Amino acid sequence: MSTNIETIAVSRNDGAAASLGDYAGKVRLVVNVASKCGLTPQYEGLERLYEDKRAAGLEVLAFPANNFKGQEPGTDAEILDFCTTQYNVTFPLFAKISVLGDDRHPLYSALVEAKPEATGEGPFRERLKGFGVERDNPADVLWNFEKFLIGRNGQVVGRFSPDVKADDPRLVAAIDAELAK
């Protein structure tokens, strides 16, 4: 039986206790993020998406993770400073967690269990292989900026590969379909 994603304890960037249930009734886009990644400029698109669709009920929830080549080495305070000064991020930022391996956070275990395959999978996985990066388990989070879409009802309804940007028509259509419910 799968875990209720909305009840899993997480911490906000400032250390305050939280859960995805704090955003119940909203459409949530959960993204594992990093400050020193080739995909880091996706913060800009994610912020634009959040600004465009927040009034309709979208929340972008960012979870910094240092699982991929040490690309998120900062403290929670340093990450917040980077996100706000470099990308004017206003969407919720959470405390750094692990999204891969033996210490994977229960939230990410539940997300992966609920949606083991990502839309857009393929080209990015092949690019990573060129850098010697291969995942033993194809269901594992592939890299920074993988996106999980959670509907208003708390169910995981989509998962998108790290190279699927915030303005990708596949992601936007999935978000809009959930916002319409």
Side-chain angles (χ1 to χ4, degrees):
M1 187 171 140
S2 61
T3 305
N4 179 347
I5 287 172
E6 298 207 334
T7 63
I8 298 170
V10 295
S11 296
R12 296 187 194 285
N13 178 268
D14 64 4
S19 75
L20 268 56
D22 296 343
Y23 305 93
K26 304 246 178 153
V27 174
R28 289 149 282 183
L29 186 65
V30 174
V31 186
N32 59 297
V33 296
S35 302
K36 300 190 181 313
C37 174
L39 300 176
T40 300
Q42 284 194 31
Y43 271 123
E44 189 175 314
L46 290 167
E47 179 61 26
R48 196 167 36 252
L49 179 69
Y50 180 60
E51 289 171 6
D52 290 349
K53 299 189 181 291
R54 178 174 43 182
L58 176 68
E59 290 289 340
V60 174
L61 307 175
F63 288 86
N66 195 35
N67 295 97
F68 307 103
K69 302 277 188 190
Q71 294 181 347
E72 188 51 271
T75 64
D76 287 332
E78 289 167 339
I79 294 165
L80 176 64
D81 182 62
F82 173 82
C83 290
T84 55
T85 60
Q86 298 298 311
Y87 291 99
N88 298 314
V89 165
T90 61
F91 50 79
L93 193 61
F94 291 82
K96 189 160 58 169
I97 63 171
S98 177
V99 300
L100 190 67
D102 293 339
D103 64 341
R104 179 169 67 184
H105 191 282
L107 172 62
Y108 268 79
S109 293
L111 290 169
V112 167
E113 178 186 332
K115 205 52 120 165
E117 293 183 20
T119 297
E121 184 57 62
F124 195 72
R125 183 177 295 274
E126 291 307 310
R127 264 184 46 215
L128 287 175
K129 282 182 184 177
F131 292 102
V133 176
E134 290 194 55
R135 296 276 163 260
D136 293 334
N137 181 349
D140 282 343
V141 171
L142 183 59
W143 203 253
N144 302 306
F145 292 90
E146 193 147 326
K147 298 152 194 80
F148 288 87
L149 184 62
I150 301 170
R152 293 183 191 272
N153 62 1
Q155 298 301 305
V156 181
V157 296
R159 178 176 176 179
F160 298 86
S161 182
D163 56 338
V164 173
K165 295 179 181 171
D167 62 354
D168 186 293
R170 298 169 292 183
L171 177 59
V172 173
I175 290 170
D176 287 345
E178 290 304 312
L179 289 172
K181 293 181 180 178

